[in-house]
Amino acid sequence: MATWNLTDTQHHILICNGSSCNKEGAEQLTQSIRNEISSKGLDSMIHTSRTLCNGRCQDKCVLITYPDGIWYKEMSSNAAPQFIESLMTGSLLEDKVSHVFNGRAFEPTKGTVLGVEKSGDIVKKVSKKL
C-alpha cells in the first residue's frame, strides 16, 4: 500500500466503482483517467480514488471532483482527455455536470434527476448490515 505525498495535489477525483457504474464501464473510465493523468505528467497534481456507490446510480458513471465539489454524470472512458483538460483549465464539461457545490449544498443542474429524499427507513434499507 502507498502513502502518497499530497502537498502538490490540486484536484482529487472520486470515481464511482459501485455496481451500477461498473456495469457501465467504471473500470475502463478509471484506467483512462489515470492513463491521461500519467501521460500528461500530472500525477502529483491530480489524485484519484475509486469509491463504492456514491448514491447517484441514475447518473452512471459518476465522478466527483474536489475541492471544487463538482459531480459529473454519464462519464465514459472516451471523455477522459477532455475531462482532465477541463480540470487543468478550470473549465467544466457542462453537459456532464450533475451537481455543483454552491457553498452550502449541492445544486442540481437543469435536467438532472433529483432522486428520492433520504429518510431513516430508506437509508437503513440500502445500507449494508455489519
Side-chain angles (χ1 to χ4, degrees):
M1 292 214 135
T3 300
W4 299 113
N5 177 346
L6 301 175
T7 56
D8 291 330
T9 302
Q10 298 173 16
H11 304 280
H12 185 191
I13 305 168
L14 304 175
I15 308 167
C16 182
N17 274 236
S19 61
S20 293
C21 287
N22 262 328
K23 289 176 187 170
E24 291 294 315
E27 181 57 29
Q28 295 88 337
L29 173 60
T30 301
Q31 294 306 316
S32 293
I33 286 174
R34 288 178 172 175
N35 290 338
E36 190 67 22
I37 291 166
S38 290
S39 72
K40 293 190 179 306
L42 300 172
D43 291 298
S44 65
M45 294 176 61
I46 303 173
H47 181 69
T48 62
S49 297
R50 277 188 187 94
T51 70
L52 293 177
C53 182
N54 285 287
R56 292 292 306 172
C57 298
Q58 171 78 31
D59 297 338
K60 59 192 174 279
C61 293
V62 174
L63 295 179
I64 307 164
T65 62
Y66 281 90
D68 50 337
I70 307 294
W71 287 58
Y72 288 88
K73 62 183 176 182
E74 303 166 357
M75 293 295 291
S76 71
S77 58
N78 294 336
Q82 297 87 357
F83 175 72
I84 296 304
E85 183 65 23
S86 75
L87 281 182
M88 299 317 299
T89 60
S91 59
L92 299 174
L93 295 181
E94 296 286 342
D95 62 326
K96 299 291 188 183
V97 174
S98 68
H99 292 78
V100 176
F101 188 69
N102 65 16
R104 185 186 63 79
F106 290 101
E107 194 173 302
T109 58
K110 186 177 179 180
T112 296
V113 173
L114 294 181
V116 297
E117 294 288 328
K118 284 187 173 182
S119 72
D121 290 338
I122 292 174
V123 170
K124 273 186 186 177
K125 183 177 179 179
V126 300
S127 296
K128 289 188 176 185
K129 306 276 189 262
L130 296 178

